[in-house]
Amino acid sequence: MASSAAAGFLSRGSSGNNSNMRGLVQFIADLRNARARELEEKRINKELANIRQKFKGINHGNLSGYHKKKYVCKLLYIYILGWNVDFGHLEAVNLISANKYSEKQIGYLAMTLFLHEQHELLHLVVNSIRKDLTDHNELFNCLALHAIANVGSREMGEALSGEVHRLLISPTSKAFVKKKAALTLLRLYRKHPDIVQPQWAERIISLMDDVDMGVALSVTSLVMALAQDNPEQYKGSYVKAASRMKRILVDGEYAQDYLYYKVPCPWIQVKMLRLLQYFPPSEDTHVRELIRESLQKILNLALEMPKNVQQNNAQNAVLFEAINLIIHLDTEQALMQQISTRLGKFIQSRETNVRYLGLEAMTHLAARAETLDPIKQHQAIIIGSLKDRDISVRRKGLDLLYSMCDQTNAQPIVGELLHYLQNADFAIREEMVLKIAILTEKYATDIQWYVDISLRLIAMAGDHVSDEVWHRVIQIVTNNEELQVYAAQNILQYVKADHCHETLVKIGGYILGEFGHLIAEDKGCSPIEQFLALQGKLQGCSSSTRAIILSSFIKFVLLFPEIKRRLMMVFHAYSHALDSELQQRACEYLALASLPDDELLRKVCDEMPPFPERQSALLFRLHQKHANTSDKRTWVVGGKDANANEKELTLTKNPGLKRAQSTTGTPVNGTNGSATNGTNGHAKGMNDLMGLDMMNAGPAEPKTMKAPPNLASAAHLSPDWEIGYNKLLLKPEGILYEDGQIQIGVRTEYRGQMGCVILYFSNKAPVAVSSFTTTLDLDPAEKENLSWEVKGLPESTISQGSQSQQMIMFTAKNVFEKSPTIRISYLAGALQAVTLKLPVVLHKFMDPAELTAEDFFKRWKQIGAAEREVQRMFGVKGGRDADREINESFIRKTVEGFKWGVLDGVDQTKKNFVGASVLHIGEGRKIGCLMRLEPNYEKQMMRLSIRATEEVVLSILMKLMEEKLALGISTQPEVILPPTRREISDTFGNILVS
């Protein structure tokens, strides 16, 4: 057979010598391949038979680990060649349980290649993997982590994710094991997000401070993925990233191994800069200053000329991510001015990557900037980028032109885009059409311009026009009376042309059917000419377009009786069409047109009413390409108005969300689509043309997952928190909390409505503590009443016996009742955390007042009773038999601790206490407060009366004083921090001055 085929090739004429030779060569090559395949199959079958015999023979139990590994390796090679080796799957699984690393490694390799997520043997290896995860051999740990990450089934993830997390947080795990554990969790989270537990968040965030830069990098990658979906749960990573960035860039805290061509740790810099963009800008001035220092350092380093390509690439990677963060912050005006000039140079760079990144950063700037003037200066260069040799640069240029478009430059930009559309790549034509349609509608100031551009766009790129675009054109024309005549005239001219795109025919069929009678008297627009124009397109169109034309013809029957005979002929012809839809349509229209009167036909063919709110997918289609990426962007392609709408960002993150589209700025009155005459009608039309404003999206799907607990809130206070808190209610300094590992001291000073609180953290543990983190929290109802500003963060690592401090400035903007809380977490082997209530209460903002007896009683009477007085009678907790008691010294000390100015000799009864104070709230707001305390030492009872110029403070002060006085004399020893108060007074004064 082969010889006859070859003879056939050689027997042909000399005119086909070249083709014959090529055919012969191909034939010989195919023959050789077939022969080689036959030999390969024969050899593989022989080898498989030998391996099957070894595994299933009587000596199988005597096979050494080496031979098992050898045969599994052979099976791996055969499997890679494409042959079936099902019988060896179980042997590979059994090899995982081997004690030698080399044998276990081959077993894991075979398992990850042979088994898929739904494989029936997969459940057999879960226990073996768990055993390797708990083994003290780090290499076994890594093999198990590799297997989990590569297979990554839900069953395996749910069973083993806890062990993976344990390896990640264990203080005994080596750095390379932690890195693999973090990346394994990342892989599991991307496939099955619910596997990562909410309670792991705080512990995972703490590892961002790990001394090993590789661990910090891997954990940051994990946190980036988690923070995108759970920003509230991982908000603690914001301060961690800002602090670590500052330590790397400004303080130079990094190993020399991570200095990449003079750029310190560029990968972790990029990730942390990106992570900071997932959160709104911090309101904390200290954190903002940390970020500002780091960003300024990056900009300064970028001014240095790189010496090689690697340094240039690393430097640019960090620089462009820093630029994106500066734009995201939108508060650093000095930094914004620096990057605006640089971006103009970047988009003109000779390097394709730099041009691409420059255009993307400028698109981000256009999405956030208040004014587009700095970007418009480079409009000619940006338009020129549409002709760049690289398609990715052309895409970015298109994005930027779309984002920088406004009322002033809409027409030239749309004109350039239309001009370029004729020669644009097919890969971006649909996106260009969509953006041109949106810009034309959004910024149309002339109704005729809108119609011209829309029809011209469809004529030029009809194959790339989605249905949403031409539906939108019909919708706007229908809802605007002033557009109908002009649109009908223009679409008729397009339909008359010999070559007319089918999408234009659809528009023509609808518009002429609805509004063709408005132009029937115009030259070249007679009923017969409209009919002939549409009839000429019937044969070359799809069934859906023919259906639209037939629907327009039934309306012609009513509007143009003079051509009814021709129309009936068309209906009769299509009543025998093979397409069932067209046949049914034609038969029904024929029956309607044949009725003796037109009453039913008039009802059926009544004018279309204005479109109500409809679903529009224009912006959905535009943003959909960014919606499913693993790294979600925090802004959308478009101007500041698009990014100011939270629904736009929701759209990019949830592409399945349906959004209602308003087609009318003002509803059209009447059923015939007529608009209000005069100026108001024109204004209404303009509102319609700018109708891409997305309306309410409707209710989102209810979430069944509970919100993660806020561990820094008052609901999670640590045991014994009240011991130090109660002491410090009446003292400016002391110990707030102490255990075997940490001591927390507090010093405070208040001036007017401002208060300075300095926290001292002393490490009592026998080793250094790391990842030291503090988080402040306040009841949401009180956040408008009490604000704070952090002036410094504690050190991330506190060595044994050392101390770190944190300064916080509080401002009482209004009367508040609940105190702020603070959560302190740190690593001392395992994660340790305490949540405490800070002794920042209302009476701390009071100043004692000195009054004479005459002035006191005068003001007491002026304030009066009723709403401005509260009075309570109470005794010591536990009654007279309790271990506590009240005496004159205790009461005086308590009253003075509440910052009342004790007025001796004012009350006629000498044992009574009278006090006066002024509460400072907000900007210069003062509330006068008076107090009278009548003790009965025999019965251990008290009557407390408080009057104030504003009744809102009465219940709060009464509650605080009653709780403290009812405790009686405290038997707990008092501890005072050794340094003097001069230090805090000087510090407080410096802050006020600055």
Side-chain angles (χ1 to χ4, degrees), residues 687-711:
N687 287 336
D688 286 343
L689 291 179
M690 298 179 67
L692 270 179
D693 179 29
M694 289 293 176
M695 301 301 286
N696 292 331
E701 294 183 4
K703 294 184 178 180
T704 56
M705 294 182 62
K706 293 183 178 179
N710 180 9
L711 298 177

PDB file of all heavy atoms in Angstrom, residues 687-711:
ATOM      1  N   ASN A 687     -31.991  66.510  29.176  1.00  0.00           N
ATOM      2  CA  ASN A 687     -31.902  65.606  30.320  1.00  0.00           C
ATOM      3  C   ASN A 687     -31.978  64.163  29.867  1.00  0.00           C
ATOM      4  O   ASN A 687     -31.312  63.289  30.415  1.00  0.00           O
ATOM      5  CB  ASN A 687     -33.020  65.903  31.326  1.00  0.00           C
ATOM      6  CG  ASN A 687     -32.770  67.187  32.080  1.00  0.00           C
ATOM      7  OD1 ASN A 687     -31.636  67.618  32.196  1.00  0.00           O
ATOM      8  ND2 ASN A 687     -33.834  67.801  32.576  1.00  0.00           N
ATOM      9  N   ASP A 688     -32.829  63.904  28.865  1.00  0.00           N
ATOM     10  CA  ASP A 688     -32.932  62.547  28.357  1.00  0.00           C
ATOM     11  C   ASP A 688     -31.630  62.098  27.712  1.00  0.00           C
ATOM     12  O   ASP A 688     -31.197  60.972  27.863  1.00  0.00           O
ATOM     13  CB  ASP A 688     -34.063  62.448  27.331  1.00  0.00           C
ATOM     14  CG  ASP A 688     -35.424  62.474  28.008  1.00  0.00           C
ATOM     15  OD1 ASP A 688     -35.456  62.250  29.226  1.00  0.00           O
ATOM     16  OD2 ASP A 688     -36.426  62.730  27.331  1.00  0.00           O
ATOM     17  N   LEU A 689     -31.015  63.026  26.965  1.00  0.00           N
ATOM     18  CA  LEU A 689     -29.773  62.664  26.291  1.00  0.00           C
ATOM     19  C   LEU A 689     -28.658  62.380  27.271  1.00  0.00           C
ATOM     20  O   LEU A 689     -27.739  61.629  26.972  1.00  0.00           O
ATOM     21  CB  LEU A 689     -29.341  63.800  25.346  1.00  0.00           C
ATOM     22  CG  LEU A 689     -30.233  64.002  24.122  1.00  0.00           C
ATOM     23  CD1 LEU A 689     -29.719  65.147  23.299  1.00  0.00           C
ATOM     24  CD2 LEU A 689     -30.304  62.736  23.297  1.00  0.00           C
ATOM     25  N   MET A 690     -28.731  62.986  28.435  1.00  0.00           N
ATOM     26  CA  MET A 690     -27.722  62.724  29.451  1.00  0.00           C
ATOM     27  C   MET A 690     -28.230  61.674  30.429  1.00  0.00           C
ATOM     28  O   MET A 690     -27.859  61.636  31.592  1.00  0.00           O
ATOM     29  CB  MET A 690     -27.364  64.008  30.201  1.00  0.00           C
ATOM     30  CG  MET A 690     -26.771  65.066  29.293  1.00  0.00           C
ATOM     31  SD  MET A 690     -26.384  66.570  30.147  1.00  0.00           S
ATOM     32  CE  MET A 690     -25.079  66.028  31.210  1.00  0.00           C
ATOM     33  N   GLY A 691     -29.084  60.786  29.928  1.00  0.00           N
ATOM     34  CA  GLY A 691     -29.780  59.854  30.798  1.00  0.00           C
ATOM     35  C   GLY A 691     -29.004  58.624  31.187  1.00  0.00           C
ATOM     36  O   GLY A 691     -29.592  57.633  31.558  1.00  0.00           O
ATOM     37  N   LEU A 692     -27.695  58.632  31.069  1.00  0.00           N
ATOM     38  CA  LEU A 692     -26.939  57.475  31.509  1.00  0.00           C
ATOM     39  C   LEU A 692     -26.744  57.453  33.008  1.00  0.00           C
ATOM     40  O   LEU A 692     -26.027  56.621  33.525  1.00  0.00           O
ATOM     41  CB  LEU A 692     -25.569  57.443  30.827  1.00  0.00           C
ATOM     42  CG  LEU A 692     -25.560  56.688  29.522  1.00  0.00           C
ATOM     43  CD1 LEU A 692     -24.177  56.733  28.918  1.00  0.00           C
ATOM     44  CD2 LEU A 692     -25.993  55.259  29.707  1.00  0.00           C
ATOM     45  N   ASP A 693     -27.364  58.385  33.697  1.00  0.00           N
ATOM     46  CA  ASP A 693     -27.290  58.397  35.151  1.00  0.00           C
ATOM     47  C   ASP A 693     -28.007  57.171  35.679  1.00  0.00           C
ATOM     48  O   ASP A 693     -29.190  56.991  35.450  1.00  0.00           O
ATOM     49  CB  ASP A 693     -27.936  59.672  35.694  1.00  0.00           C
ATOM     50  CG  ASP A 693     -27.904  59.732  37.193  1.00  0.00           C
ATOM     51  OD1 ASP A 693     -26.973  59.145  37.761  1.00  0.00           O
ATOM     52  OD2 ASP A 693     -28.803  60.359  37.773  1.00  0.00           O
ATOM     53  N   MET A 694     -27.296  56.305  36.351  1.00  0.00           N
ATOM     54  CA  MET A 694     -27.888  55.068  36.824  1.00  0.00           C
ATOM     55  C   MET A 694     -28.782  55.331  38.028  1.00  0.00           C
ATOM     56  O   MET A 694     -28.401  56.018  38.949  1.00  0.00           O
ATOM     57  CB  MET A 694     -26.790  54.071  37.206  1.00  0.00           C
ATOM     58  CG  MET A 694     -26.067  53.539  36.002  1.00  0.00           C
ATOM     59  SD  MET A 694     -27.138  52.530  34.983  1.00  0.00           S
ATOM     60  CE  MET A 694     -26.044  52.173  33.637  1.00  0.00           C
ATOM     61  N   MET A 695     -29.932  54.750  38.008  1.00  0.00           N
ATOM     62  CA  MET A 695     -30.886  54.925  39.096  1.00  0.00           C
ATOM     63  C   MET A 695     -30.703  53.800  40.094  1.00  0.00           C
ATOM     64  O   MET A 695     -29.747  53.042  40.047  1.00  0.00           O
ATOM     65  CB  MET A 695     -32.310  54.930  38.529  1.00  0.00           C
ATOM     66  CG  MET A 695     -32.531  56.027  37.498  1.00  0.00           C
ATOM     67  SD  MET A 695     -32.227  57.679  38.148  1.00  0.00           S
ATOM     68  CE  MET A 695     -33.682  57.885  39.159  1.00  0.00           C
ATOM     69  N   ASN A 696     -31.651  53.683  41.011  1.00  0.00           N
ATOM     70  CA  ASN A 696     -31.527  52.698  42.077  1.00  0.00           C
ATOM     71  C   ASN A 696     -31.398  51.304  41.498  1.00  0.00           C
ATOM     72  O   ASN A 696     -32.092  50.920  40.567  1.00  0.00           O
ATOM     73  CB  ASN A 696     -32.747  52.760  42.999  1.00  0.00           C
ATOM     74  CG  ASN A 696     -32.765  54.057  43.772  1.00  0.00           C
ATOM     75  OD1 ASN A 696     -31.718  54.618  44.043  1.00  0.00           O
ATOM     76  ND2 ASN A 696     -33.948  54.523  44.117  1.00  0.00           N
ATOM     77  N   ALA A 697     -30.502  50.553  42.075  1.00  0.00           N
ATOM     78  CA  ALA A 697     -30.230  49.221  41.560  1.00  0.00           C
ATOM     79  C   ALA A 697     -31.193  48.184  42.071  1.00  0.00           C
ATOM     80  O   ALA A 697     -31.184  47.059  41.630  1.00  0.00           O
ATOM     81  CB  ALA A 697     -28.809  48.820  41.945  1.00  0.00           C
ATOM     82  N   GLY A 698     -32.052  48.563  42.986  1.00  0.00           N
ATOM     83  CA  GLY A 698     -32.943  47.578  43.566  1.00  0.00           C
ATOM     84  C   GLY A 698     -32.250  46.849  44.692  1.00  0.00           C
ATOM     85  O   GLY A 698     -31.056  46.956  44.897  1.00  0.00           O
ATOM     86  N   PRO A 699     -33.013  46.099  45.451  1.00  0.00           N
ATOM     87  CA  PRO A 699     -32.425  45.431  46.613  1.00  0.00           C
ATOM     88  C   PRO A 699     -31.419  44.380  46.195  1.00  0.00           C
ATOM     89  O   PRO A 699     -31.632  43.626  45.260  1.00  0.00           O
ATOM     90  CB  PRO A 699     -33.638  44.795  47.302  1.00  0.00           C
ATOM     91  CG  PRO A 699     -34.657  44.645  46.209  1.00  0.00           C
ATOM     92  CD  PRO A 699     -34.425  45.783  45.257  1.00  0.00           C
ATOM     93  N   ALA A 700     -30.294  44.388  46.876  1.00  0.00           N
ATOM     94  CA  ALA A 700     -29.289  43.365  46.625  1.00  0.00           C
ATOM     95  C   ALA A 700     -29.701  42.074  47.310  1.00  0.00           C
ATOM     96  O   ALA A 700     -30.580  42.047  48.153  1.00  0.00           O
ATOM     97  CB  ALA A 700     -27.929  43.835  47.136  1.00  0.00           C
ATOM     98  N   GLU A 701     -29.051  41.003  46.932  1.00  0.00           N
ATOM     99  CA  GLU A 701     -29.368  39.729  47.544  1.00  0.00           C
ATOM    100  C   GLU A 701     -28.982  39.761  49.008  1.00  0.00           C
ATOM    101  O   GLU A 701     -27.903  40.231  49.362  1.00  0.00           O
ATOM    102  CB  GLU A 701     -28.607  38.606  46.827  1.00  0.00           C
ATOM    103  CG  GLU A 701     -29.066  38.409  45.386  1.00  0.00           C
ATOM    104  CD  GLU A 701     -28.356  37.250  44.749  1.00  0.00           C
ATOM    105  OE1 GLU A 701     -27.579  36.587  45.449  1.00  0.00           O
ATOM    106  OE2 GLU A 701     -28.576  37.012  43.565  1.00  0.00           O
ATOM    107  N   PRO A 702     -29.851  39.270  49.879  1.00  0.00           N
ATOM    108  CA  PRO A 702     -29.534  39.299  51.303  1.00  0.00           C
ATOM    109  C   PRO A 702     -28.342  38.421  51.616  1.00  0.00           C
ATOM    110  O   PRO A 702     -28.177  37.346  51.062  1.00  0.00           O
ATOM    111  CB  PRO A 702     -30.813  38.759  51.962  1.00  0.00           C
ATOM    112  CG  PRO A 702     -31.483  37.971  50.886  1.00  0.00           C
ATOM    113  CD  PRO A 702     -31.137  38.646  49.599  1.00  0.00           C
ATOM    114  N   LYS A 703     -27.506  38.913  52.478  1.00  0.00           N
ATOM    115  CA  LYS A 703     -26.325  38.169  52.873  1.00  0.00           C
ATOM    116  C   LYS A 703     -26.655  37.312  54.095  1.00  0.00           C
ATOM    117  O   LYS A 703     -27.211  37.792  55.072  1.00  0.00           O
ATOM    118  CB  LYS A 703     -25.166  39.122  53.211  1.00  0.00           C
ATOM    119  CG  LYS A 703     -24.668  39.905  52.004  1.00  0.00           C
ATOM    120  CD  LYS A 703     -23.479  40.752  52.391  1.00  0.00           C
ATOM    121  CE  LYS A 703     -22.947  41.509  51.175  1.00  0.00           C
ATOM    122  NZ  LYS A 703     -21.792  42.351  51.512  1.00  0.00           N
ATOM    123  N   THR A 704     -26.286  36.067  54.016  1.00  0.00           N
ATOM    124  CA  THR A 704     -26.560  35.164  55.117  1.00  0.00           C
ATOM    125  C   THR A 704     -25.403  35.119  56.110  1.00  0.00           C
ATOM    126  O   THR A 704     -25.585  34.728  57.243  1.00  0.00           O
ATOM    127  CB  THR A 704     -26.813  33.751  54.578  1.00  0.00           C
ATOM    128  OG1 THR A 704     -25.679  33.346  53.788  1.00  0.00           O
ATOM    129  CG2 THR A 704     -28.052  33.729  53.695  1.00  0.00           C
ATOM    130  N   MET A 705     -24.218  35.521  55.679  1.00  0.00           N
ATOM    131  CA  MET A 705     -23.070  35.478  56.578  1.00  0.00           C
ATOM    132  C   MET A 705     -23.149  36.615  57.582  1.00  0.00           C
ATOM    133  O   MET A 705     -23.476  37.743  57.248  1.00  0.00           O
ATOM    134  CB  MET A 705     -21.766  35.583  55.777  1.00  0.00           C
ATOM    135  CG  MET A 705     -21.515  34.389  54.881  1.00  0.00           C
ATOM    136  SD  MET A 705     -19.948  34.548  54.002  1.00  0.00           S
ATOM    137  CE  MET A 705     -18.798  34.582  55.359  1.00  0.00           C
ATOM    138  N   LYS A 706     -22.827  36.295  58.823  1.00  0.00           N
ATOM    139  CA  LYS A 706     -22.823  37.301  59.858  1.00  0.00           C
ATOM    140  C   LYS A 706     -21.585  38.170  59.732  1.00  0.00           C
ATOM    141  O   LYS A 706     -20.525  37.718  59.312  1.00  0.00           O
ATOM    142  CB  LYS A 706     -22.849  36.630  61.238  1.00  0.00           C
ATOM    143  CG  LYS A 706     -24.146  35.889  61.520  1.00  0.00           C
ATOM    144  CD  LYS A 706     -24.113  35.307  62.935  1.00  0.00           C
ATOM    145  CE  LYS A 706     -25.430  34.602  63.245  1.00  0.00           C
ATOM    146  NZ  LYS A 706     -25.413  34.012  64.604  1.00  0.00           N
ATOM    147  N   ALA A 707     -21.733  39.429  60.125  1.00  0.00           N
ATOM    148  CA  ALA A 707     -20.586  40.333  60.098  1.00  0.00           C
ATOM    149  C   ALA A 707     -19.568  39.881  61.144  1.00  0.00           C
ATOM    150  O   ALA A 707     -19.941  39.403  62.219  1.00  0.00           O
ATOM    151  CB  ALA A 707     -21.040  41.757  60.384  1.00  0.00           C
ATOM    152  N   PRO A 708     -18.275  40.005  60.838  1.00  0.00           N
ATOM    153  CA  PRO A 708     -17.264  39.584  61.812  1.00  0.00           C
ATOM    154  C   PRO A 708     -17.331  40.439  63.063  1.00  0.00           C
ATOM    155  O   PRO A 708     -17.653  41.625  62.996  1.00  0.00           O
ATOM    156  CB  PRO A 708     -15.942  39.808  61.051  1.00  0.00           C
ATOM    157  CG  PRO A 708     -16.263  40.801  60.006  1.00  0.00           C
ATOM    158  CD  PRO A 708     -17.690  40.567  59.632  1.00  0.00           C
ATOM    159  N   PRO A 709     -17.047  39.862  64.232  1.00  0.00           N
ATOM    160  CA  PRO A 709     -17.123  40.642  65.467  1.00  0.00           C
ATOM    161  C   PRO A 709     -16.040  41.701  65.522  1.00  0.00           C
ATOM    162  O   PRO A 709     -14.914  41.491  65.074  1.00  0.00           O
ATOM    163  CB  PRO A 709     -16.925  39.587  66.553  1.00  0.00           C
ATOM    164  CG  PRO A 709     -16.164  38.482  65.880  1.00  0.00           C
ATOM    165  CD  PRO A 709     -16.633  38.475  64.455  1.00  0.00           C
ATOM    166  N   ASN A 710     -16.386  42.860  66.077  1.00  0.00           N
ATOM    167  CA  ASN A 710     -15.414  43.926  66.283  1.00  0.00           C
ATOM    168  C   ASN A 710     -14.774  43.716  67.646  1.00  0.00           C
ATOM    169  O   ASN A 710     -15.332  44.092  68.674  1.00  0.00           O
ATOM    170  CB  ASN A 710     -16.117  45.283  66.201  1.00  0.00           C
ATOM    171  CG  ASN A 710     -15.155  46.436  66.403  1.00  0.00           C
ATOM    172  OD1 ASN A 710     -13.932  46.246  66.437  1.00  0.00           O
ATOM    173  ND2 ASN A 710     -15.669  47.636  66.537  1.00  0.00           N
ATOM    174  N   LEU A 711     -13.602  43.092  67.653  1.00  0.00           N
ATOM    175  CA  LEU A 711     -12.963  42.712  68.913  1.00  0.00           C
ATOM    176  C   LEU A 711     -12.470  43.909  69.707  1.00  0.00           C
ATOM    177  O   LEU A 711     -12.108  43.766  70.865  1.00  0.00           O
ATOM    178  CB  LEU A 711     -11.793  41.759  68.626  1.00  0.00           C
ATOM    179  CG  LEU A 711     -12.179  40.436  67.958  1.00  0.00           C
ATOM    180  CD1 LEU A 711     -10.941  39.601  67.662  1.00  0.00           C
ATOM    181  CD2 LEU A 711     -13.159  39.660  68.820  1.00  0.00           C
TER     182      LEU A 711
END
